[in-house]
Amino acid sequence: MSERPLPVIAEPDSSAFWAATASHELTYQRCSECERVVFYPRRHCPYCASLQLSVHKSTGMGKIYTFTIVRRSDHPFFGQRVPFVIAWIELDEGFRMLSNVIDTGLDQLTIGLPVQVQWEDYDDLSIPVFKKADSA
Ligand SMILES: [Zn+2]
């Protein structure tokens, strides 16, 4: 079975994010100057260029903003997972991330569906994916 391609965690802006995933913490940043939520992780605020970013832990609860179902892939890993779901997830804290929706029937997928984070564990990090929320 082919293995999932994993992020390079030595990358300076995102290394802390990936390190936190190993303990199942989904983190995001907030700008101390303009107070906007910042995601993906980076060194400066994309809205006001401030370097004063603080890191916060997300509850991992959100909703599907939009999604697509991949039914064919020539990639050695993703090809064995079809059909699978790629979705923009809107987290309750106000940021969006691209991820997969797993363990949820394709006929249950809707825009706005409440979802909660799940983790695929690897040696040095975990990949955040989502499933239909228990409360949905
Ligand atoms: Zn800012």
Side-chain angles (χ1 to χ4, degrees):
M1 180 171 272
S2 185
E3 296 185 9
R4 178 191 271 275
L6 295 173
V8 176
I9 59 175
E11 197 281 316
D13 289 348
S14 62
S15 59
F17 172 85
W18 290 115
T21 66
S23 44
H24 294 183
E25 293 184 0
L26 181 62
T27 56
Y28 64 99
Q29 295 168 301
R30 184 180 295 276
C31 176
S32 301
E33 295 292 324
C34 73
E35 300 185 352
R36 293 178 82 165
V37 171
V38 175
F39 191 86
Y40 52 89
R42 61 196 105 181
R43 196 160 302 241
H44 68 276
C45 174
Y47 306 105
C48 74
S50 169
L51 298 175
Q52 305 302 315
L53 295 173
S54 55
V55 177
H56 303 270
K57 184 178 170 184
S58 168
T59 62
M61 303 299 293
K63 293 179 178 167
I64 294 178
Y65 177 76
T66 192
F67 69 95
T68 190
I69 300 169
V70 178
R71 298 184 186 276
R72 178 184 164 141
S73 173
D74 291 332
H75 188 277
F77 174 78
F78 293 106
Q80 64 198 5
R81 287 193 146 196
V82 295
F84 64 89
V85 179
I86 298 175
W88 277 107
I89 306 299
E90 187 157 87
L91 280 299
D92 287 353
E93 292 84 6
F95 65 96
R96 290 181 192 150
M97 64 180 294
L98 195 61
S99 185
N100 296 130
V101 178
I102 64 165
D103 297 338
T104 304
L106 298 181
D107 59 343
Q108 295 184 300
L109 296 169
T110 58
I111 289 172
L113 181 73
V115 291
Q116 62 190 53
V117 73
Q118 306 289 290
W119 298 95
E120 284 184 15
D121 294 327
Y122 295 92
D123 287 345
D124 298 322
L125 58 87
S126 296
I127 299 289
V129 296
F130 292 82
K131 71 166 196 171
K132 180 180 174 182
D134 293 337
S135 60

mmCIF file of all heavy atoms in Angstrom, residues 29-38 45 48 50-56:
data_model
loop_
_atom_site.group_PDB
_atom_site.id
_atom_site.type_symbol
_atom_site.label_atom_id
_atom_site.label_comp_id
_atom_site.label_asym_id
_atom_site.label_seq_id
_atom_site.Cartn_x
_atom_site.Cartn_y
_atom_site.Cartn_z
ATOM 1 N N GLN A 29 -3.361 31.248 14.227
ATOM 2 C CA GLN A 29 -2.763 32.457 14.751
ATOM 3 C C GLN A 29 -3.787 33.586 14.791
ATOM 4 O O GLN A 29 -4.775 33.580 14.055
ATOM 5 C CB GLN A 29 -1.574 32.890 13.871
ATOM 6 C CG GLN A 29 -0.425 31.897 13.891
ATOM 7 C CD GLN A 29 0.588 32.218 12.804
ATOM 8 O OE1 GLN A 29 0.250 32.235 11.629
ATOM 9 N NE2 GLN A 29 1.820 32.475 13.205
ATOM 10 N N ARG A 30 -3.526 34.540 15.675
ATOM 11 C CA ARG A 30 -4.330 35.753 15.731
ATOM 12 C C ARG A 30 -3.356 36.926 15.804
ATOM 13 O O ARG A 30 -2.373 36.891 16.527
ATOM 14 C CB ARG A 30 -5.252 35.753 16.948
ATOM 15 C CG ARG A 30 -6.185 36.977 17.006
ATOM 16 C CD ARG A 30 -7.094 36.939 18.217
ATOM 17 N NE ARG A 30 -8.041 35.831 18.194
ATOM 18 C CZ ARG A 30 -9.226 35.855 17.549
ATOM 19 N NH1 ARG A 30 -9.578 36.920 16.871
ATOM 20 N NH2 ARG A 30 -10.017 34.814 17.593
ATOM 21 N N CYS A 31 -3.658 37.974 15.053
ATOM 22 C CA CYS A 31 -2.795 39.152 15.025
ATOM 23 C C CYS A 31 -3.076 40.023 16.241
ATOM 24 O O CYS A 31 -4.227 40.352 16.534
ATOM 25 C CB CYS A 31 -3.041 39.939 13.740
ATOM 26 S SG CYS A 31 -2.094 41.470 13.666
ATOM 27 N N SER A 32 -2.041 40.391 16.962
ATOM 28 C CA SER A 32 -2.203 41.235 18.144
ATOM 29 C C SER A 32 -2.470 42.696 17.782
ATOM 30 O O SER A 32 -2.968 43.455 18.599
ATOM 31 C CB SER A 32 -0.944 41.157 19.025
ATOM 32 O OG SER A 32 -0.718 39.832 19.407
ATOM 33 N N GLU A 33 -2.151 43.091 16.559
ATOM 34 C CA GLU A 33 -2.378 44.482 16.129
ATOM 35 C C GLU A 33 -3.801 44.674 15.602
ATOM 36 O O GLU A 33 -4.544 45.511 16.094
ATOM 37 C CB GLU A 33 -1.365 44.859 15.043
ATOM 38 C CG GLU A 33 0.073 44.875 15.506
ATOM 39 C CD GLU A 33 0.364 45.995 16.486
ATOM 40 O OE1 GLU A 33 -0.213 47.086 16.334
ATOM 41 O OE2 GLU A 33 1.176 45.764 17.404
ATOM 42 N N CYS A 34 -4.207 43.918 14.583
ATOM 43 C CA CYS A 34 -5.529 44.116 13.966
ATOM 44 C C CYS A 34 -6.559 43.084 14.450
ATOM 45 O O CYS A 34 -7.727 43.168 14.080
ATOM 46 C CB CYS A 34 -5.419 44.107 12.444
ATOM 47 S SG CYS A 34 -5.107 42.480 11.714
ATOM 48 N N GLU A 35 -6.107 42.116 15.258
ATOM 49 C CA GLU A 35 -6.964 41.116 15.910
ATOM 50 C C GLU A 35 -7.636 40.146 14.945
ATOM 51 O O GLU A 35 -8.563 39.445 15.318
ATOM 52 C CB GLU A 35 -8.002 41.803 16.819
ATOM 53 C CG GLU A 35 -7.361 42.636 17.902
ATOM 54 C CD GLU A 35 -8.362 43.223 18.872
ATOM 55 O OE1 GLU A 35 -9.571 43.111 18.632
ATOM 56 O OE2 GLU A 35 -7.914 43.795 19.870
ATOM 57 N N ARG A 36 -7.180 40.101 13.706
ATOM 58 C CA ARG A 36 -7.781 39.162 12.763
ATOM 59 C C ARG A 36 -7.161 37.771 12.924
ATOM 60 O O ARG A 36 -6.017 37.628 13.362
ATOM 61 C CB ARG A 36 -7.599 39.670 11.331
ATOM 62 C CG ARG A 36 -8.410 40.943 11.102
ATOM 63 C CD ARG A 36 -8.220 41.497 9.736
ATOM 64 N NE ARG A 36 -9.077 40.794 8.777
ATOM 65 C CZ ARG A 36 -9.326 41.259 7.559
ATOM 66 N NH1 ARG A 36 -8.803 42.395 7.153
ATOM 67 N NH2 ARG A 36 -10.100 40.577 6.741
ATOM 68 N N VAL A 37 -7.949 36.772 12.571
ATOM 69 C CA VAL A 37 -7.483 35.391 12.608
ATOM 70 C C VAL A 37 -6.640 35.130 11.366
ATOM 71 O O VAL A 37 -7.001 35.557 10.266
ATOM 72 C CB VAL A 37 -8.677 34.426 12.664
ATOM 73 C CG1 VAL A 37 -8.236 32.982 12.490
ATOM 74 C CG2 VAL A 37 -9.419 34.600 13.989
ATOM 75 N N VAL A 38 -5.513 34.446 11.558
ATOM 76 C CA VAL A 38 -4.574 34.187 10.470
ATOM 77 C C VAL A 38 -4.392 32.677 10.317
ATOM 78 O O VAL A 38 -4.108 31.965 11.273
ATOM 79 C CB VAL A 38 -3.208 34.859 10.753
ATOM 80 C CG1 VAL A 38 -2.190 34.484 9.692
ATOM 81 C CG2 VAL A 38 -3.371 36.374 10.843
ATOM 82 N N CYS A 45 1.353 39.089 9.775
ATOM 83 C CA CYS A 45 -0.071 39.197 9.492
ATOM 84 C C CYS A 45 -0.274 39.600 8.022
ATOM 85 O O CYS A 45 0.298 40.593 7.572
ATOM 86 C CB CYS A 45 -0.701 40.238 10.414
ATOM 87 S SG CYS A 45 -2.436 40.574 10.022
ATOM 88 N N CYS A 48 -2.135 43.367 8.028
ATOM 89 C CA CYS A 48 -1.506 44.630 8.453
ATOM 90 C C CYS A 48 0.019 44.529 8.533
ATOM 91 O O CYS A 48 0.670 45.489 8.912
ATOM 92 C CB CYS A 48 -2.087 45.080 9.790
ATOM 93 S SG CYS A 48 -1.514 44.125 11.214
ATOM 94 N N SER A 50 1.891 43.120 10.597
ATOM 95 C CA SER A 50 2.453 43.029 11.944
ATOM 96 C C SER A 50 3.170 41.701 12.129
ATOM 97 O O SER A 50 2.758 40.676 11.569
ATOM 98 C CB SER A 50 1.332 43.159 12.977
ATOM 99 O OG SER A 50 1.830 42.826 14.268
ATOM 100 N N LEU A 51 4.217 41.722 12.950
ATOM 101 C CA LEU A 51 4.921 40.490 13.296
ATOM 102 C C LEU A 51 4.404 39.917 14.613
ATOM 103 O O LEU A 51 4.916 38.910 15.101
ATOM 104 C CB LEU A 51 6.425 40.747 13.386
ATOM 105 C CG LEU A 51 7.095 41.208 12.086
ATOM 106 C CD1 LEU A 51 8.565 41.537 12.333
ATOM 107 C CD2 LEU A 51 6.969 40.151 10.999
ATOM 108 N N GLN A 52 3.405 40.564 15.212
ATOM 109 C CA GLN A 52 2.885 40.159 16.524
ATOM 110 C C GLN A 52 1.723 39.187 16.356
ATOM 111 O O GLN A 52 0.558 39.556 16.421
ATOM 112 C CB GLN A 52 2.435 41.396 17.307
ATOM 113 C CG GLN A 52 3.499 42.459 17.453
ATOM 114 C CD GLN A 52 4.752 41.948 18.141
ATOM 115 O OE1 GLN A 52 4.680 41.255 19.149
ATOM 116 N NE2 GLN A 52 5.899 42.264 17.570
ATOM 117 N N LEU A 53 2.062 37.925 16.138
ATOM 118 C CA LEU A 53 1.047 36.891 15.983
ATOM 119 C C LEU A 53 1.095 35.964 17.191
ATOM 120 O O LEU A 53 2.162 35.509 17.588
ATOM 121 C CB LEU A 53 1.290 36.086 14.705
ATOM 122 C CG LEU A 53 1.152 36.854 13.396
ATOM 123 C CD1 LEU A 53 1.593 35.983 12.231
ATOM 124 C CD2 LEU A 53 -0.271 37.324 13.190
ATOM 125 N N SER A 54 -0.060 35.671 17.758
ATOM 126 C CA SER A 54 -0.138 34.718 18.860
ATOM 127 C C SER A 54 -0.781 33.432 18.355
ATOM 128 O O SER A 54 -1.556 33.446 17.391
ATOM 129 C CB SER A 54 -0.932 35.311 20.026
ATOM 130 O OG SER A 54 -2.207 35.721 19.579
ATOM 131 N N VAL A 55 -0.461 32.333 19.006
ATOM 132 C CA VAL A 55 -0.942 31.009 18.585
ATOM 133 C C VAL A 55 -2.038 30.544 19.529
ATOM 134 O O VAL A 55 -1.926 30.684 20.750
ATOM 135 C CB VAL A 55 0.222 29.994 18.567
ATOM 136 C CG1 VAL A 55 -0.280 28.605 18.209
ATOM 137 C CG2 VAL A 55 1.293 30.442 17.585
ATOM 138 N N HIS A 56 -3.109 30.005 18.948
ATOM 139 C CA HIS A 56 -4.268 29.546 19.730
ATOM 140 C C HIS A 56 -4.650 28.140 19.288
ATOM 141 O O HIS A 56 -4.368 27.727 18.168
ATOM 142 C CB HIS A 56 -5.450 30.494 19.529
ATOM 143 C CG HIS A 56 -5.114 31.898 19.885
ATOM 144 N ND1 HIS A 56 -5.278 32.404 21.150
ATOM 145 C CD2 HIS A 56 -4.567 32.883 19.140
ATOM 146 C CE1 HIS A 56 -4.867 33.662 21.167
ATOM 147 N NE2 HIS A 56 -4.430 33.985 19.956
#
